[in-house]
Amino acid sequence: MSEFDFSKCPHCNCKHFYRQKDFNKVIGCFVILTGAVFVPFTYGLSLLLVAVIDWFLYKRVADEAVCYKCREEFKNIEIPDNIKPFDHHIAELYEEPD
Ligand SMILES: [Zn+2]
C-alpha cells in the first residue's frame, strides 16, 4: 500500500477519491443513546457529557479515502491534501444508471 499515490484506484482505475472519517457510527449512536437514558437522573448533564465524548472520539479517528466508483476504502494511509470530502457532483459521474 505504501507506493499507492491515489492517482487511480487499483480496483477500478477510477481517478476520483473522497476523504471521510473512519468513525464507527454504531458506537457514536450508542454513546448518544446512553446519554439520553441518563437525562432524568442528571438533569440533562449526561447529554452534554456524551456530546463531549462523541466529539473527542470523532477527533481521534483518522481520515480514510474512498473510491467514488467502487467504494473501496483506503485506511491507515497518508491521504494527500488534494483528496477532498465527498462531492455530490463528482459522485454523479459514477452513479450506476439502474
Ligand atoms: Zn475504485
Side-chain angles (χ1 to χ4, degrees), residues 12-83:
C12 67
N13 290 333
C14 168
K15 291 185 176 63
H16 290 108
F17 303 89
Y18 62 90
R19 64 166 71 228
Q20 69 177 17
K21 289 283 185 187
D22 182 15
F23 185 61
N24 192 326
K25 292 185 179 64
V26 177
I27 292 176
C29 288
F30 180 75
V31 168
I32 295 293
L33 219 80
T34 306
V37 165
F38 285 102
V39 161
F41 311 105
T42 60
Y43 304 101
L45 274 175
S46 58
L47 271 187
L48 188 71
L49 183 68
V50 293
V52 170
I53 293 171
D54 208 49
W55 174 83
F56 186 72
L57 286 173
Y58 188 81
K59 294 292 278 187
R60 278 180 61 91
V61 292
D63 277 357
E64 63 178 7
V66 186
C67 170
Y68 271 104
K69 194 173 176 185
C70 69
R71 304 290 163 137
E72 177 77 23
E73 294 172 355
F74 302 93
K75 301 180 183 189
N76 306 316
I77 189 169
E78 194 76 35
I79 300 166
D81 286 340
N82 62 328
I83 307 289

